Amino acid sequence: MTPTISRLALAALALSASILTAQPALAAVACGSGNFDAWLADFKADAAAKGVSQQAVAAGLAGVTLDQSVLNRDRSQKVFTQTFEEFSGRMVPPRMQRGSNMMKQYGSVLSRIEQTYGVPGEVLVAIWGLETDFGVNTGKFATIRSLATLAYDCRRSDQFRAELLDALRIVQRGDLAPADMKGAWAGELGQTQFMPSSWMKYAVDFDGNGKRDLLHNAPDVLASTANYLAGYGWQRGKDWQPGSPNFAVLQQWNKSEVYSKTVAYFATQLARAP
């Protein structure tokens, strides 16, 4: 997430209106029933039936209430209209020096990550800087509350029910305590803003301390981001310019072409930095 534009909003540039407005398939528990507490009670039972432990359900969903501010943000997203020149010109220059410093500070870690996953450090640091200013602006919304709110709302209920289940699985696995799960308003978590489903699939414990911690642990953050890109087909040793297979992988990270081009441009500038 950039400080002012959610990754979800940027991705909306490439999504058709029909996808955004399509009614979800009827879920096991009805969305928008008019009573959030009753919906939440049914969801807890459904989560347990899907194998989430009672302990994780209780810890994750205790006291959760509807967050109207999340619904307001979801309904007021504007189409992303900045050009590449405008967006990259605003985002890259203020982050170049810090990005170059991060390349040096984490040089050995980035080298090991590239050996493991094939993704160059410049690409990872560019994403890191654009998403959260290298971990400074990860977001302050309670993740489980945000996901529960969006799962209850009927606009994209099925999508966010699945994310809420995965957030509880993160708790069950011991990666994070519910109180530590704070991020963007739409449920993105960590220093490169993973949705819970991506966290469950791609988060790695790169420093071997027994936890996958994408909120506080830079080696885990960077390696998990590399694992995500590798999972979408990143080609080792190839470039990442628009039109290349690796640029198509960057668009799996964020479907906005402007955003993906800015990642590619930032990474190229970092590669050229002294």
Side-chain angles (χ1 to χ4, degrees), residues 105-106 128 132 134-136 138-139 174-183 189-193 199 204 207 209 211-222 224:
Q105 181 177 344
Y106 292 100
W128 192 19
T132 65
F134 312 101
V136 173
T138 56
D175 291 358
L176 291 174
D180 294 331
M181 297 174 74
K182 294 185 185 300
L189 267 171
Q191 295 189 27
T192 54
Q193 301 285 270
W199 184 304
V204 296
D207 68 350
N209 71 350
K211 287 191 175 183
R212 303 164 186 85
D213 184 357
L214 310 191
L215 278 173
H216 313 103
N217 187 307
D220 287 3
V221 168
L222 296 166
S224 299

Side-chain angles (χ1 to χ4, degrees), residues 7 18 51 60 94 104 112 121 128 150 157 180 196 206 217:
R7 186 154 140 215
S18 62
K104 296 180 179 72
R112 288 192 292 115
W128 192 19
L150 293 165
S157 180
D180 294 331
F206 197 70
N217 187 307

Side-chain angles (χ1 to χ4, degrees), residues 8-211:
L8 205 66
L10 284 163
L13 179 67
L15 294 176
S16 71
S18 62
I19 293 174
L20 287 173
T21 57
Q23 290 298 312
L26 186 63
V29 179
C31 62
S33 60
N35 187 327
F36 179 79
D37 290 340
W39 175 89
L40 189 63
D42 283 343
F43 179 85
K44 289 177 181 179
D46 188 45
K50 287 181 165 64
V52 181
S53 71
Q54 290 288 352
Q55 183 177 6
V57 170
L61 296 174
V64 168
T65 57
L66 187 78
D67 189 340
Q68 186 61 46
S69 72
V70 167
L71 294 179
N72 293 343
R73 284 173 180 259
D74 188 46
R75 283 158 170 67
S76 65
Q77 289 191 80
K78 295 179 174 61
V79 174
F80 183 66
T81 58
Q82 292 183 60
T83 65
F84 163 69
E85 290 76 15
E86 290 169 338
F87 185 66
S88 62
R90 180 168 67 85
M91 299 298 292
V92 174
R95 292 166 175 80
M96 267 302 302
Q97 186 60 54
R98 184 110 193 270
S100 184
N101 291 341
M102 290 298 186
M103 290 291 298
K104 296 180 179 72
Q105 181 177 344
Y106 292 100
S108 62
V109 170
L110 291 168
S111 178
R112 288 192 292 115
I113 289 172
E114 184 169 4
Q115 289 172 11
T116 304
Y117 300 104
V119 183
E122 296 89 348
V123 173
L124 303 175
V125 171
I127 290 171
W128 192 19
L130 291 175
E131 290 290 346
T132 65
D133 283 331
F134 312 101
V136 173
N137 299 307
T138 56
K140 297 182 179 179
F141 284 83
T143 299
I144 290 177
R145 185 185 185 197
S146 292
L147 293 172
T149 296
L150 293 165
Y152 172 72
D153 185 52
C154 287
R155 196 161 87 89
R156 287 168 293 170
S157 180
D158 285 357
Q159 174 186 346
F160 284 102
R161 281 180 67 87
E163 295 293 348
L164 181 55
L165 285 166
D166 278 332
L168 296 178
R169 293 180 181 117
I170 290 171
V171 174
Q172 178 173 305
R173 196 164 68 177
D175 291 358
L176 291 174
D180 294 331
M181 297 174 74
K182 294 185 185 300
W185 66 264
E188 301 100 328
L189 267 171
Q191 295 189 27
T192 54
Q193 301 285 270
F194 273 40
M195 291 300 289
S197 57
S198 295
W199 184 304
M200 287 298 299
K201 190 170 183 179
Y202 297 112
V204 296
D205 171 23
F206 197 70
D207 68 350
N209 71 350
K211 287 191 175 183

